[in-house]
């Protein structure tokens, strides 16, 4: 375990020599286990799997964290493990953290792979705006009225709900523009959580980035299309 900002962070560091390790960052509510099948096929690289608090095997009491805290935690863990440079792979929320680290500490990032990454400001439909207007009216009438969120959101503790809201309302377009590392963007065409327009926006924002679309993939495109994902990543690392 690694202690950071009042939390105990679980990680699994498989060190194989002094090469540049691959650092896997999972999605919100998930754990490093999502990358186990992929990591198990890599025999010649060092691997770092991290469970973001309060998920997986990490401590479940986290207060006051935001996207900057999570990025700071990963950077501090790398320093603790004497990792001066890494190949980052981030899925969804892990993509947010990867974008942030790539922008603020570019010397740490040798390359990055963003899989169905969160962080782009979503387009708001007329239906969404209508529902928000109705919610505001109901709140004016009844101050105690609360609109229910997603199942994942409702399952969180009050402290983690505040963390979640802070994170989803922090948009990273300005940070994406600062990324200098070689970047691969992998996206599921059927992704409904972070739609394909977000992939195209990231592709425009990150200079020299490459976009690969998995036609049969959803939000977990790397699990939906394992063989194709593995092939794409292998080709990317050969170039890097």
């Amino acid at each position: 375990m690694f202690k950071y900002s009042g939390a105990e962070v679980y990680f699994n560091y498989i060190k194989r020599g002094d090469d540049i390790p691959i650092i896997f960052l999972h999605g919100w509510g998930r754990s490093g286990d999502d990358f186990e099948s992929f990591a198990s096929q890599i025999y010649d690289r060092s691997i770092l799997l991290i469970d973001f608090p309060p998920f997986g095997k990490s401590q479940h009491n986290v207060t006051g964290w935001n996207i900057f805290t999570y990025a700071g935690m990963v950077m501090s863990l790398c320093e603790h493990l004497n990792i001066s440079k890494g190949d980052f792979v981030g899925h969804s929320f892990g993509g947010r953290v990867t974008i942030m680290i790539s922008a603020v500490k570019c010397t740490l990032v040798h390359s990055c792979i963003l899989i169905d990454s969160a962080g782009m400001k979503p387009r708001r439909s007329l239906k969404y705006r209508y529902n928000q207007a109705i919610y505001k009216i109901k709140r004016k009438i009844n101050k105690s009225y609360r609109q229910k969120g997603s199942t994942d959101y409702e399952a969180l503790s009050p402290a983690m709900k505040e963390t979640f809201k802070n994170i989803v309302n922090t948009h990273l377009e300005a940070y994406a523009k600062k990324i200098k590392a070689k970047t691969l963007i992998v996206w599921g065409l059927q992704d409904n959580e972070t739609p394909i327009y977000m992939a195209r926006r990231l592709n425009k924002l990150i200079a020299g980035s490459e976009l690969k679309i998995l036609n049969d993939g959803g939000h977990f495109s790397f699990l939906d299309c394992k063989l194709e994902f593995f092939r794409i990543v292998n080709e990317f690392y050969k170039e890097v």
Side-chain angles (χ1 to χ4, degrees):
M1 288 285 190
F2 172 69
K3 291 188 177 180
Y4 184 84
S5 191
E8 290 188 352
V9 182
Y10 173 82
F11 66 92
N12 181 17
Y13 186 31
I14 305 167
K15 198 170 188 309
R16 300 185 177 106
D18 296 321
D19 65 327
I20 296 173
I22 303 176
I23 300 168
F24 292 97
L25 304 179
H26 64 80
W28 187 262
R30 309 288 294 186
S31 74
D33 289 349
D34 280 352
F35 292 107
E36 283 287 356
S37 60
F38 181 66
S40 65
Q41 300 301 313
I42 302 170
Y43 306 106
D44 57 347
R45 299 283 304 274
S46 295
I47 301 291
L48 175 59
L49 297 164
I50 304 170
D51 285 357
F52 287 126
F55 310 116
K57 297 174 186 173
S58 286
Q59 187 187 47
H60 284 236
N61 297 315
V62 175
T63 25
W65 281 43
N66 54 38
I67 186 63
F68 305 100
T69 319
Y70 281 102
M73 179 273 289
V74 174
M75 291 187 287
S76 293
L77 177 57
C78 286
E79 185 177 357
H80 172 71
L81 297 172
N82 295 315
I83 296 172
S84 58
K85 198 173 286 288
D87 287 322
F88 282 77
V89 180
H91 169 245
S92 195
F93 170 69
R96 283 185 190 269
V97 179
T98 298
I99 291 169
M100 181 64 66
I101 294 171
S102 300
V104 303
K105 195 168 184 179
C106 57
T107 55
L108 180 59
V109 182
H110 179 247
S111 72
C112 61
I113 299 176
L114 302 173
I115 313 165
D116 301 285
S117 177
M120 298 294 97
K121 187 175 182 179
R123 295 173 183 167
R124 296 306 189 188
S125 65
L126 288 174
K127 182 180 178 181
Y128 174 88
R129 293 179 184 181
Y130 171 79
N131 288 338
Q132 286 299 101
I134 295 297
Y135 170 70
K136 288 176 182 177
I137 292 169
K138 288 182 177 179
R139 281 279 290 158
K140 283 183 179 179
I141 297 170
N142 179 6
K143 298 290 184 184
S144 63
Y145 176 78
R146 290 289 183 273
Q147 187 171 311
K148 281 194 173 183
S150 65
T151 306
D152 287 345
Y153 175 79
E154 293 300 328
L156 296 171
S157 67
M160 283 308 297
K161 283 181 179 178
E162 288 305 309
T163 294
F164 180 81
K165 285 191 288 187
N166 183 292
I167 287 168
V168 298
N169 289 320
T170 303
H171 307 304
L172 304 180
E173 279 82 356
Y175 292 94
K177 286 181 181 178
K178 296 179 181 180
I179 297 177
K180 303 298 182 188
K182 181 72 174 173
T183 303
L184 172 66
I185 301 166
V186 183
W187 225 269
L189 186 61
Q190 313 304 323
D191 188 344
N192 293 319
E193 292 186 45
T194 50
I196 194 68
Y197 71 81
M198 294 185 175
R200 297 193 172 104
R201 190 186 302 168
L202 268 174
N203 189 208
K204 288 181 180 178
L205 290 170
I206 303 172
S209 62
E210 183 182 2
L211 172 60
K212 295 289 186 180
I213 298 173
L214 302 178
N215 292 330
D216 296 325
H219 188 57
F220 290 83
S221 60
F222 68 109
L223 296 177
D224 297 331
C225 310
K226 285 183 181 180
L227 291 178
E228 192 175 357
F229 175 77
F230 194 77
R231 178 186 60 78
I232 290 169
V233 170
N234 271 335
E235 289 175 0
F236 174 72
Y237 283 143
K238 284 176 184 176
E239 292 175 10
V240 171

Short mmCIF file of all heavy atoms in Angstrom, two decimals, residues 90-130:
data_model
loop_
_atom_site.label_atom_id
_atom_site.label_comp_id
_atom_site.label_asym_id
_atom_site.label_seq_id
_atom_site.Cartn_x
_atom_site.Cartn_y
_atom_site.Cartn_z
N GLY A 90 -4.92 4.96 -20.11
CA GLY A 90 -6.03 5.37 -19.26
C GLY A 90 -7.37 5.14 -19.90
O GLY A 90 -7.61 5.54 -21.04
N HIS A 91 -8.27 4.47 -19.16
CA HIS A 91 -9.63 4.23 -19.65
C HIS A 91 -10.61 5.13 -18.91
O HIS A 91 -10.58 5.21 -17.68
CB HIS A 91 -10.03 2.77 -19.45
CG HIS A 91 -11.50 2.52 -19.68
ND1 HIS A 91 -12.35 2.12 -18.68
CD2 HIS A 91 -12.26 2.66 -20.80
CE1 HIS A 91 -13.58 2.00 -19.18
NE2 HIS A 91 -13.55 2.32 -20.46
N SER A 92 -11.46 5.82 -19.63
CA SER A 92 -12.54 6.63 -19.07
C SER A 92 -11.99 7.62 -18.03
O SER A 92 -11.26 8.54 -18.38
CB SER A 92 -13.61 5.72 -18.47
OG SER A 92 -14.81 6.43 -18.23
N PHE A 93 -12.31 7.45 -16.74
CA PHE A 93 -11.76 8.33 -15.71
C PHE A 93 -10.24 8.28 -15.70
O PHE A 93 -9.56 9.30 -15.50
CB PHE A 93 -12.31 7.94 -14.34
CG PHE A 93 -11.62 8.64 -13.19
CD1 PHE A 93 -11.79 10.01 -13.00
CD2 PHE A 93 -10.81 7.94 -12.33
CE1 PHE A 93 -11.14 10.66 -11.96
CE2 PHE A 93 -10.16 8.58 -11.29
CZ PHE A 93 -10.33 9.95 -11.10
N GLY A 94 -9.68 7.09 -15.92
CA GLY A 94 -8.22 6.97 -16.00
C GLY A 94 -7.65 7.80 -17.14
O GLY A 94 -6.51 8.27 -17.08
N GLY A 95 -8.46 8.01 -18.19
CA GLY A 95 -8.07 8.89 -19.29
C GLY A 95 -7.99 10.33 -18.83
O GLY A 95 -7.10 11.08 -19.22
N ARG A 96 -8.95 10.73 -17.99
CA ARG A 96 -8.90 12.09 -17.40
C ARG A 96 -7.57 12.31 -16.70
O ARG A 96 -6.91 13.34 -16.89
CB ARG A 96 -10.01 12.26 -16.35
CG ARG A 96 -11.40 12.48 -16.85
CD ARG A 96 -12.31 12.74 -15.65
NE ARG A 96 -13.70 12.74 -16.01
CZ ARG A 96 -14.40 13.81 -16.38
NH1 ARG A 96 -13.79 14.98 -16.46
NH2 ARG A 96 -15.68 13.73 -16.67
N VAL A 97 -7.21 11.35 -15.84
CA VAL A 97 -5.99 11.48 -15.05
C VAL A 97 -4.77 11.50 -15.97
O VAL A 97 -3.83 12.28 -15.76
CB VAL A 97 -5.88 10.34 -14.02
CG1 VAL A 97 -4.60 10.46 -13.20
CG2 VAL A 97 -7.10 10.34 -13.10
N THR A 98 -4.79 10.67 -17.01
CA THR A 98 -3.69 10.63 -17.97
C THR A 98 -3.53 11.96 -18.69
O THR A 98 -2.41 12.46 -18.87
CB THR A 98 -3.91 9.50 -18.99
OG1 THR A 98 -3.94 8.24 -18.31
CG2 THR A 98 -2.80 9.46 -20.03
N ILE A 99 -4.63 12.56 -19.10
CA ILE A 99 -4.59 13.87 -19.76
C ILE A 99 -3.97 14.90 -18.83
O ILE A 99 -3.09 15.69 -19.23
CB ILE A 99 -6.01 14.32 -20.19
CG1 ILE A 99 -6.53 13.44 -21.33
CG2 ILE A 99 -6.02 15.79 -20.61
CD1 ILE A 99 -8.01 13.62 -21.65
N MET A 100 -4.41 14.91 -17.59
CA MET A 100 -3.90 15.89 -16.62
C MET A 100 -2.40 15.73 -16.40
O MET A 100 -1.64 16.70 -16.45
CB MET A 100 -4.66 15.72 -15.29
CG MET A 100 -4.25 16.69 -14.20
SD MET A 100 -4.61 18.40 -14.62
CE MET A 100 -6.40 18.37 -14.67
N ILE A 101 -1.95 14.49 -16.17
CA ILE A 101 -0.52 14.24 -15.93
C ILE A 101 0.30 14.60 -17.16
O ILE A 101 1.36 15.22 -17.05
CB ILE A 101 -0.29 12.77 -15.54
CG1 ILE A 101 -0.95 12.47 -14.18
CG2 ILE A 101 1.21 12.45 -15.47
CD1 ILE A 101 -0.95 11.00 -13.81
N SER A 102 -0.20 14.24 -18.34
CA SER A 102 0.52 14.53 -19.59
C SER A 102 0.69 16.02 -19.81
O SER A 102 1.67 16.45 -20.43
CB SER A 102 -0.22 13.92 -20.78
OG SER A 102 -0.34 12.52 -20.64
N ALA A 103 -0.26 16.80 -19.30
CA ALA A 103 -0.20 18.25 -19.48
C ALA A 103 0.68 18.94 -18.45
O ALA A 103 1.45 19.84 -18.78
CB ALA A 103 -1.61 18.84 -19.42
N VAL A 104 0.59 18.48 -17.18
CA VAL A 104 1.30 19.21 -16.12
C VAL A 104 2.68 18.64 -15.80
O VAL A 104 3.51 19.33 -15.20
CB VAL A 104 0.45 19.27 -14.83
CG1 VAL A 104 -0.89 19.91 -15.09
CG2 VAL A 104 0.26 17.88 -14.20
N LYS A 105 2.91 17.38 -16.16
CA LYS A 105 4.24 16.80 -15.92
C LYS A 105 4.64 15.97 -17.13
O LYS A 105 4.74 14.74 -17.07
CB LYS A 105 4.26 15.95 -14.64
CG LYS A 105 5.68 15.65 -14.18
CD LYS A 105 5.73 15.07 -12.78
CE LYS A 105 7.19 14.88 -12.34
NZ LYS A 105 7.29 14.33 -10.98
N CYS A 106 4.90 16.66 -18.23
CA CYS A 106 5.16 15.98 -19.51
C CYS A 106 6.42 15.12 -19.46
O CYS A 106 6.53 14.15 -20.21
CB CYS A 106 5.25 17.00 -20.63
SG CYS A 106 6.51 18.26 -20.39
N THR A 107 7.36 15.43 -18.58
CA THR A 107 8.60 14.63 -18.50
C THR A 107 8.33 13.22 -18.00
O THR A 107 9.13 12.32 -18.24
CB THR A 107 9.62 15.30 -17.56
OG1 THR A 107 9.01 15.52 -16.28
CG2 THR A 107 10.09 16.64 -18.13
N LEU A 108 7.21 13.02 -17.32
CA LEU A 108 6.88 11.70 -16.78
C LEU A 108 6.24 10.80 -17.85
O LEU A 108 6.28 9.58 -17.73
CB LEU A 108 5.93 11.84 -15.59
CG LEU A 108 5.45 10.57 -14.89
CD1 LEU A 108 6.63 9.75 -14.35
CD2 LEU A 108 4.47 10.91 -13.77
N VAL A 109 5.68 11.40 -18.89
CA VAL A 109 4.88 10.65 -19.87
C VAL A 109 5.67 10.43 -21.15
O VAL A 109 5.91 11.37 -21.92
CB VAL A 109 3.56 11.38 -20.16
CG1 VAL A 109 2.71 10.56 -21.13
CG2 VAL A 109 2.80 11.65 -18.87
N HIS A 110 6.04 9.19 -21.39
CA HIS A 110 6.73 8.82 -22.63
C HIS A 110 5.74 8.72 -23.77
O HIS A 110 5.99 9.17 -24.89
CB HIS A 110 7.47 7.49 -22.42
CG HIS A 110 8.20 7.00 -23.64
ND1 HIS A 110 7.82 5.86 -24.31
CD2 HIS A 110 9.26 7.50 -24.30
CE1 HIS A 110 8.63 5.68 -25.34
NE2 HIS A 110 9.51 6.65 -25.36
N SER A 111 4.60 8.10 -23.49
CA SER A 111 3.50 8.02 -24.46
C SER A 111 2.21 7.83 -23.69
O SER A 111 2.24 7.50 -22.50
CB SER A 111 3.70 6.83 -25.43
OG SER A 111 3.46 5.61 -24.75
N CYS A 112 1.09 8.08 -24.35
CA CYS A 112 -0.18 7.80 -23.66
C CYS A 112 -1.21 7.22 -24.62
O CYS A 112 -1.25 7.58 -25.80
CB CYS A 112 -0.73 9.03 -22.94
SG CYS A 112 -1.10 10.44 -23.94
N ILE A 113 -2.00 6.30 -24.08
CA ILE A 113 -3.11 5.70 -24.81
C ILE A 113 -4.39 6.06 -24.05
O ILE A 113 -4.51 5.75 -22.86
CB ILE A 113 -2.97 4.17 -24.92
CG1 ILE A 113 -1.69 3.80 -25.69
CG2 ILE A 113 -4.20 3.57 -25.60
CD1 ILE A 113 -1.42 2.31 -25.76
N LEU A 114 -5.29 6.74 -24.73
CA LEU A 114 -6.56 7.16 -24.13
C LEU A 114 -7.67 6.28 -24.69
O LEU A 114 -7.92 6.29 -25.89
CB LEU A 114 -6.83 8.63 -24.43
CG LEU A 114 -5.76 9.63 -23.96
CD1 LEU A 114 -6.07 11.03 -24.47
CD2 LEU A 114 -5.64 9.62 -22.44
N ILE A 115 -8.32 5.52 -23.80
CA ILE A 115 -9.37 4.59 -24.22
C ILE A 115 -10.72 5.11 -23.74
O ILE A 115 -10.96 5.21 -22.54
CB ILE A 115 -9.14 3.18 -23.63
CG1 ILE A 115 -7.70 2.73 -23.81
CG2 ILE A 115 -10.11 2.18 -24.22
CD1 ILE A 115 -7.33 1.54 -22.95
N ASP A 116 -11.60 5.45 -24.70
CA ASP A 116 -12.94 5.95 -24.34
C ASP A 116 -12.84 6.94 -23.17
O ASP A 116 -13.56 6.82 -22.18
CB ASP A 116 -13.87 4.77 -23.99
CG ASP A 116 -14.01 3.80 -25.13
OD1 ASP A 116 -14.71 4.13 -26.10
OD2 ASP A 116 -13.41 2.70 -25.08
N SER A 117 -11.95 7.88 -23.32
CA SER A 117 -11.59 8.77 -22.22
C SER A 117 -12.68 9.78 -21.89
O SER A 117 -13.33 10.33 -22.77
CB SER A 117 -10.29 9.52 -22.57
OG SER A 117 -9.96 10.43 -21.55
N ALA A 118 -12.84 10.04 -20.60
CA ALA A 118 -13.68 11.14 -20.15
C ALA A 118 -12.84 12.42 -20.13
O ALA A 118 -11.63 12.37 -20.33
CB ALA A 118 -14.23 10.83 -18.77
N GLY A 119 -13.50 13.54 -19.89
CA GLY A 119 -12.77 14.80 -19.77
C GLY A 119 -13.22 15.89 -20.72
O GLY A 119 -12.96 17.07 -20.49
N MET A 120 -13.91 15.51 -21.82
CA MET A 120 -14.39 16.51 -22.76
C MET A 120 -15.78 17.02 -22.32
O MET A 120 -16.60 16.26 -21.82
CB MET A 120 -14.49 15.92 -24.17
CG MET A 120 -13.16 15.45 -24.76
SD MET A 120 -11.97 16.79 -25.08
CE MET A 120 -10.94 16.70 -23.59
N LYS A 121 -16.00 18.31 -22.52
CA LYS A 121 -17.30 18.89 -22.16
C LYS A 121 -18.38 18.28 -23.04
O LYS A 121 -18.27 18.32 -24.27
CB LYS A 121 -17.27 20.40 -22.33
CG LYS A 121 -18.52 21.09 -21.82
CD LYS A 121 -18.40 22.60 -21.91
CE LYS A 121 -19.64 23.28 -21.34
NZ LYS A 121 -19.52 24.75 -21.39
N PRO A 122 -19.43 17.72 -22.44
CA PRO A 122 -20.47 17.06 -23.25
C PRO A 122 -21.38 18.04 -23.95
O PRO A 122 -21.59 19.16 -23.48
CB PRO A 122 -21.25 16.23 -22.22
CG PRO A 122 -21.06 16.97 -20.93
CD PRO A 122 -19.69 17.58 -20.99
N ARG A 123 -21.90 17.63 -25.09
CA ARG A 123 -22.94 18.40 -25.76
C ARG A 123 -24.24 18.19 -24.99
O ARG A 123 -24.55 17.07 -24.58
CB ARG A 123 -23.13 17.91 -27.20
CG ARG A 123 -21.93 18.13 -28.11
CD ARG A 123 -22.19 17.45 -29.44
NE ARG A 123 -21.04 17.57 -30.35
CZ ARG A 123 -20.90 16.87 -31.46
NH1 ARG A 123 -21.85 15.99 -31.79
NH2 ARG A 123 -19.84 17.02 -32.22
N ARG A 124 -25.00 19.23 -24.81
CA ARG A 124 -26.25 19.12 -24.07
C ARG A 124 -27.44 19.21 -25.02
O ARG A 124 -27.57 20.18 -25.76
CB ARG A 124 -26.35 20.23 -23.02
CG ARG A 124 -25.28 20.15 -21.94
CD ARG A 124 -25.26 18.80 -21.27
NE ARG A 124 -24.38 18.77 -20.09
CZ ARG A 124 -24.06 17.69 -19.42
NH1 ARG A 124 -24.51 16.50 -19.83
NH2 ARG A 124 -23.27 17.75 -18.36
N SER A 125 -28.29 18.18 -24.99
CA SER A 125 -29.47 18.15 -25.85
C SER A 125 -30.56 19.07 -25.31
O SER A 125 -30.51 19.51 -24.15
CB SER A 125 -30.01 16.71 -25.92
OG SER A 125 -30.48 16.31 -24.65
N LEU A 126 -31.56 19.35 -26.14
CA LEU A 126 -32.70 20.16 -25.70
C LEU A 126 -33.43 19.49 -24.55
O LEU A 126 -33.90 20.16 -23.63
CB LEU A 126 -33.65 20.40 -26.87
CG LEU A 126 -33.17 21.37 -27.96
CD1 LEU A 126 -34.15 21.39 -29.11
CD2 LEU A 126 -32.99 22.77 -27.38
N LYS A 127 -33.51 18.15 -24.60
CA LYS A 127 -34.18 17.40 -23.53
C LYS A 127 -33.45 17.59 -22.21
O LYS A 127 -34.08 17.78 -21.16
CB LYS A 127 -34.23 15.91 -23.89
CG LYS A 127 -34.95 15.06 -22.85
CD LYS A 127 -34.99 13.58 -23.26
CE LYS A 127 -35.68 12.75 -22.18
NZ LYS A 127 -35.70 11.30 -22.54
N TYR A 128 -32.11 17.52 -22.25
CA TYR A 128 -31.32 17.71 -21.04
C TYR A 128 -31.56 19.11 -20.46
O TYR A 128 -31.77 19.28 -19.26
CB TYR A 128 -29.83 17.52 -21.35
CG TYR A 128 -28.92 17.83 -20.18
CD1 TYR A 128 -28.61 16.84 -19.25
CD2 TYR A 128 -28.39 19.11 -20.00
CE1 TYR A 128 -27.78 17.12 -18.17
CE2 TYR A 128 -27.57 19.39 -18.92
CZ TYR A 128 -27.26 18.40 -18.02
OH TYR A 128 -26.46 18.69 -16.94
N ARG A 129 -31.51 20.12 -21.33
CA ARG A 129 -31.70 21.50 -20.87
C ARG A 129 -33.10 21.72 -20.31
O ARG A 129 -33.29 22.46 -19.33
CB ARG A 129 -31.41 22.47 -22.02
CG ARG A 129 -29.94 22.45 -22.44
CD ARG A 129 -29.66 23.37 -23.59
NE ARG A 129 -28.26 23.25 -24.01
CZ ARG A 129 -27.72 23.95 -24.98
NH1 ARG A 129 -28.44 24.84 -25.65
NH2 ARG A 129 -26.44 23.77 -25.30
N TYR A 130 -34.09 21.08 -20.93
CA TYR A 130 -35.46 21.16 -20.44
C TYR A 130 -35.56 20.57 -19.03
O TYR A 130 -36.15 21.17 -18.12
CB TYR A 130 -36.41 20.43 -21.39
CG TYR A 130 -37.82 20.27 -20.87
CD1 TYR A 130 -38.73 21.32 -20.92
CD2 TYR A 130 -38.23 19.05 -20.33
CE1 TYR A 130 -40.02 21.17 -20.43
CE2 TYR A 130 -39.51 18.89 -19.83
CZ TYR A 130 -40.40 19.95 -19.89
OH TYR A 130 -41.67 19.80 -19.39
#
